């Protein structure tokens, strides 16, 4: 199965049931791996990049309640990368992800707006980019526009109905909009 889970492990599933602590850290782990695969190539030699294990990131972030400083650092790094390579879609997506994860930081409204803009730019370049579409759903859900969030989650769910994270967010939004019957069908599938 290939889904949004591929964001963490391109050749495998998002998680191998390693407990609740790991599931609670998905946003932080996602950012850590994306930073490792996008930022490290800029600042490390090829040999160092090859030997740098993703496990180090998992060990660092596992059990972490918050890491706003990490997201701020990542956002700054991706902004620097984009200054040099403005058309690099992966860097633009990762900038949006870092900004989205800064939603509880000072200036959250501006961060969320910049995240939305980054994801929309990715979709303008690649209309089939499921990760950007899913993150726009998260953005709209967070700002309280559940009708827009529902549309983004629905579109991703149509393409990848087996992804449990997409199904959950889609069903959650349906429930918020008092559409419990379709939500139950998604959750039961």
């Amino acid at each position: 199965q290939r889904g949004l889970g591929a964001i963490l492990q391109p050749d495998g599933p998002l998680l191998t049931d390693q407990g609740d602590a790991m599931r609670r850290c998905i946003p932080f782990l996602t950012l850590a791996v994306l930073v490792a695969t996008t930022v490290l190539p800029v600042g490390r030699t090829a040999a160092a990049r090859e030997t740098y294990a993703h496990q180090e990131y998992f060990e660092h972030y596992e059990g972490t309640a918050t890491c706003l400083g990490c997201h701020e650092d990542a956002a700054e790094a991706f902004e620097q990368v984009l200054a040099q390579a403005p058309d690099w879609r992966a860097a633009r997506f990762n900038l949006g992800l870092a900004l989205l994860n800064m939603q509880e930081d000072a200036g959250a409204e501006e961060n969320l707006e910049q995240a939305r803009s980054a994801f929309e730019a990715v979709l303008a370049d690649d209309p089939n980019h499921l990760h950007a579409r899913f993150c726009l759903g998260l953005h709209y859900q967070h700002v309280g526009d559940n009708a827009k969030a529902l549309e983004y989650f629905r579109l991703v769910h149509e393409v990848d109905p087996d992804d449990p994270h997409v199904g959950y967010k889609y069903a959650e939004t349906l429930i918020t909009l008092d559409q419990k019957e379709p939500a139950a069908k998604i959750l039961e599938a």
Side-chain angles (χ1 to χ4, degrees):
Q1 160 182 330
R2 301 285 301 164
L4 288 179
I7 195 169
L8 280 179
Q9 298 173 358
D11 297 322
L14 179 62
L15 294 172
T16 57
D17 198 28
Q18 296 178 359
D20 290 334
M22 192 70 140
R23 279 188 274 291
R24 285 193 306 267
C25 296
I26 288 171
F28 308 113
L29 296 173
T30 302
L31 180 62
V33 172
L34 292 173
V35 169
T37 59
T38 306
V39 175
L40 287 179
V42 174
R44 290 183 173 251
T45 66
R49 193 174 50 234
E50 290 173 6
T51 59
Y52 199 88
H54 291 295
Q55 187 61 34
E56 291 179 44
Y57 283 109
F58 291 119
E59 289 170 1
H60 175 73
Y61 290 104
E62 189 170 351
T64 302
T66 185
C67 188
L68 291 175
C70 300
H71 301 306
E72 291 170 3
D73 291 346
E76 288 177 24
F78 291 124
E79 286 172 348
Q80 291 172 8
V81 168
L82 287 166
Q84 300 298 313
D87 295 329
W88 192 5
R89 187 182 323 134
R92 183 144 329 273
F93 171 79
N94 290 328
L95 172 61
L97 187 61
L99 291 165
L100 184 65
N101 280 308
M102 291 168 53
Q103 59 190 292
E104 295 182 19
D105 195 12
E109 189 173 313
E110 182 180 339
N111 293 336
L112 287 168
E113 180 60 25
Q114 290 175 352
R116 183 193 56 77
S117 294
F119 297 134
E120 287 177 348
V122 170
L123 284 175
D125 186 46
D126 179 4
N128 298 315
H129 197 285
L130 292 181
H131 297 77
R133 194 170 301 285
F134 181 79
C135 287
L136 276 169
L138 293 175
H139 168 271
Y140 284 114
Q141 187 181 46
H142 182 75
V143 299
D145 191 341
N146 288 304
K148 276 190 180 179
L150 180 67
E151 184 60 22
Y152 283 103
F153 293 143
R154 182 189 60 78
L155 290 169
V156 177
H157 189 261
E158 285 176 358
V159 175
D160 192 1
D162 296 324
D163 188 304
H165 303 288
V166 173
Y168 174 79
K169 294 308 279 182
Y170 183 32
E172 177 184 60
T173 307
L174 284 165
I175 291 167
T176 301
L177 295 170
D178 204 30
Q179 297 180 33
K180 293 176 178 71
E181 192 170 315
K185 288 179 183 178
I186 291 167
L187 293 172
E188 291 170 357

